[in-house]
Amino acid sequence: MKIPSIAIARLSVYARNLELLDQKGVEVVSSVRLADACGINPAQIRKDLAYFGQFGVRGVGYYAKELILEIRNILNLDKKWRLGVVGAGNLGSALLRHAQFVDGSYTFVAAFDRKPKRIGAKIGGIEVSPIEAMNDIVKKMGAEIGVIAVKPDWAQEAADLLVAAGVRGILNFAPIQLQCPAHVFTENADFSLRLEALYYKLTPARSRRKRHMKSGSVIAPK
Amino acid sequence: MKIPSIAIARLSVYARNLELLDQKGVEVVSSVRLADACGINPAQIRKDLAYFGQFGVRGVGYYAKELILEIRNILNLDKKWRLGVVGAGNLGSALLRHAQFVDGSYTFVAAFDRKPKRIGAKIGGIEVSPIEAMNDIVKKMGAEIGVIAVKPDWAQEAADLLVAAGVRGILNFAPIQLQCPAHVFTENADFSLRLEALYYKLTPARSRRKRHMKSGSVIAPK
DNA sequence: GTATGTGAAACCGTTCACAGCA
DNA sequence: TGCTGTGAACGGTTTCACATAC
């Protein structure tokens, strides 16, 4: 069965909200209640879960703790994923330091930068290495996912290096679409796209400059 | 006409790729060429642009520079948007410092934190203020968009404060769905959802724990 | 009675295919 | 001729509505 990737993204959201409810002491959650928390249609939730099994009890709902475990299993959140980051500037350092304090599903095992002055620094417990060492270090440390935190003009090259070094997935913070071989999965995490979507929403249509129509082509606009 | 919000997100991508092509000296771009660069269907691009006007020349294509301006106008990228960030930890500081070096469409005009020890620090040229001052400072500085860079357990409260202070949009880096009044637009920029989508893609189905079916309910699985 | 699981319907976005125009 | 702009066809996702199970 084909599972829409947007359904996968929603599973993450369900898990988060279930955890919040669980922390509040809620033991059983109906799809309606969870849907409320997520701002979503209840049938959507039931359909999404149905892709993977039957996790609820008819007439009752879902046991929060149990469903959390199910989703964590589907998304494979219990494994500690090993990440290597390219770019130890503002964003890269923030990611490294952040990970240090979060007991999450991932851990950084390597960091790389092109700038000599950054090499050797320890950030969040990880030493920054030169990109020439990427191949060796990625393999030695078993990094499975590469994180791109470099300027856009260098992002594709960083991706090529990561792919050559053997990562299977790339989380891309640069605002471009990476070209990668089919066996390497990529996800975009660039927030400037999100910000620009906000700009649009915040701009009333009438305030946009009026565009010229081409030379009298429109006689009767519908 | 209803414009799908995903079309808006693509406009950002078109603009980026057009700028890259423009820098390479390309003057005229066909929808096929742009589609190649973006990894997308050409008709999609023409449809997306058609929501906003007629920007191309039949038999020729689009003039890169001109189309860039059109999209910048649609997304309102020429205005300097004024942002205020809540949370001056790793992520918040990285955003502040990053913005300092980017001559982009936005600028940070305020930063807030709940932790006393962070108050008064200058990060990326912006002084960190206590959240009690949010109302005054947001208004005084004319911050239009709030950025949430705090831990998830405090994100909703941060959003409420921003809304009360009068921001019209919120860029949310916390991994929860914010509840906001209808007149405030929100966009989620949390990357853990993206990362979890990667986990799923990288996990072969057979490696997931097999789930029990409920007590003999399935006689003949289809 | 109540809430899940799921076919069927409705809806929406994408792609096709070609008319229209430079 | 060549490429845009766009109605129509298509395909996929969302929502409805109800049979099913507790």
Side-chain angles (χ1 to χ4, degrees):
Chain A
M1 188 185 356
K2 176 71 175 57
I3 299 170
S5 69
I6 191 164
I8 306 299
R10 281 192 298 259
L11 287 185
S12 297
V13 177
Y14 303 158
R16 293 255 166 59
N17 282 282
L18 283 165
E19 275 157 14
L20 289 177
L21 290 167
D22 179 49
Q23 279 163 28
K24 285 188 201 159
V26 179
E27 295 189 350
V28 179
V29 184
S30 71
S31 60
V32 172
R33 179 155 189 191
L34 183 55
D36 268 0
C38 302
I40 221 175
N41 180 297
Q44 182 87 78
I45 295 182
R46 299 199 297 272
K47 261 268 153 68
D48 287 344
L49 295 175
Y51 287 122
F52 298 97
Q54 323 219 129
F55 305 127
V57 183
R58 296 185 186 203
V60 179
Y62 302 89
Y63 291 99
K65 279 191 201 307
E66 191 184 306
L67 186 52
I68 290 169
L69 291 177
E70 298 287 0
I71 296 178
R72 292 187 64 87
N73 175 46
I74 293 165
L75 298 176
N76 210 342
L77 293 184
D78 292 321
K79 171 176 154 81
K80 268 272 185 196
W81 293 85
R82 300 169 76 81
L83 275 51
V85 61
V86 187
N90 285 323
L91 179 59
S93 324
L95 292 171
L96 286 165
R97 276 193 289 260
H98 183 68
Q100 204 177 18
F101 301 111
V102 178
D103 177 33
S105 52
Y106 64 93
T107 180
F108 281 96
V109 297
F112 305 95
D113 206 291
R114 207 168 43 162
K115 296 193 180 150
K117 68 169 180 181
R118 286 186 185 153
I119 309 298
K122 266 212 167 183
I123 304 173
I126 302 296
E127 189 175 325
V128 179
S129 305
I131 56 169
E132 290 75 22
M134 199 184 296
N135 237 299
D136 289 349
I137 294 180
V138 162
K139 286 190 174 64
K140 193 178 75 188
M141 300 301 293
E144 309 162 283
I145 295 176
V147 176
I148 293 188
V150 303
K151 296 269 145 61
D153 53 0
W154 193 55
Q156 182 61 55
E157 198 182 330
D160 295 342
L161 289 169
L162 283 167
V163 169
V167 302
R168 297 173 50 224
I170 291 181
L171 185 67
N172 174 33
F173 281 88
I176 62 155
Q177 189 55 49
L178 298 175
Q179 310 295 336
C180 285
H183 68 276
V184 177
F185 298 98
T186 69
E187 284 281 329
N188 293 315
D190 169 43
F191 60 86
S192 56
L193 295 182
R194 292 275 100 71
L195 198 45
E196 289 172 12
L198 257 189
Y199 298 162
Y200 175 81
K201 290 182 185 173
L202 295 182
T203 303
R206 64 202 60 199
S207 91
R208 289 183 194 106
R209 251 178 295 127
K210 199 58 201 245
R211 308 319 306 173
H212 53 87
M213 286 290 110
K214 304 293 174 191
S215 51
S217 56
V218 173
I219 308 296
K222 46 199 150 180
Chain B
M1 187 182 1
K2 177 71 175 60
I3 299 169
S5 69
I6 190 166
I8 306 298
R10 280 191 300 259
L11 287 186
S12 298
V13 177
Y14 303 159
R16 293 256 166 58
N17 282 280
L18 283 166
E19 275 157 14
L20 289 176
L21 289 167
D22 179 48
Q23 278 163 28
K24 285 188 200 157
V26 179
E27 295 189 353
V28 178
V29 184
S30 71
S31 61
V32 172
R33 179 152 188 195
L34 183 55
D36 269 0
C38 302
I40 220 173
N41 181 296
Q44 182 86 80
I45 294 182
R46 299 199 297 273
K47 261 269 152 71
D48 286 344
L49 295 175
Y51 286 122
F52 298 97
Q54 324 219 127
F55 306 127
V57 183
R58 297 183 186 206
V60 179
Y62 303 88
Y63 291 99
K65 279 192 202 303
E66 191 183 307
L67 187 52
I68 290 169
L69 291 178
E70 298 288 1
I71 296 178
R72 292 187 64 87
N73 175 46
I74 294 164
L75 299 176
N76 211 341
L77 293 184
D78 292 319
K79 173 176 152 78
K80 269 271 184 195
W81 293 85
R82 300 170 74 82
L83 275 50
V85 60
V86 186
N90 286 322
L91 179 59
S93 328
L95 293 171
L96 286 165
R97 276 193 289 259
H98 183 68
Q100 206 178 15
F101 301 111
V102 178
D103 177 33
S105 52
Y106 64 94
T107 178
F108 281 96
V109 295
F112 305 95
D113 206 292
R114 207 169 43 163
K115 296 193 180 151
K117 68 169 180 183
R118 287 184 184 152
I119 309 298
K122 267 213 166 181
I123 304 173
I126 303 295
E127 189 175 326
V128 180
S129 305
I131 56 169
E132 290 76 21
M134 200 184 294
N135 239 299
D136 289 349
I137 294 180
V138 162
K139 287 190 174 63
K140 193 178 74 188
M141 300 302 293
E144 309 162 283
I145 294 176
V147 177
I148 294 188
V150 303
K151 296 269 145 61
D153 54 0
W154 193 55
Q156 181 62 53
E157 199 182 330
D160 295 342
L161 289 169
L162 284 167
V163 170
V167 303
R168 297 172 52 223
I170 292 180
L171 185 67
N172 173 34
F173 282 89
I176 62 156
Q177 189 56 47
L178 298 175
Q179 310 295 336
C180 284
H183 68 276
V184 177
F185 297 98
T186 70
E187 284 281 328
N188 293 316
D190 168 44
F191 62 86
S192 56
L193 295 181
R194 293 274 102 71
L195 198 46
E196 290 171 12
L198 258 188
Y199 299 162
Y200 176 80
K201 290 183 185 172
L202 295 181
T203 304
R206 64 202 59 198
S207 91
R208 289 185 193 105
R209 251 179 293 127
K210 199 56 201 245
R211 308 318 307 174
H212 53 87
M213 286 290 112
K214 302 293 173 188
S215 52
S217 55
V218 175
I219 308 297
K222 43 201 148 180

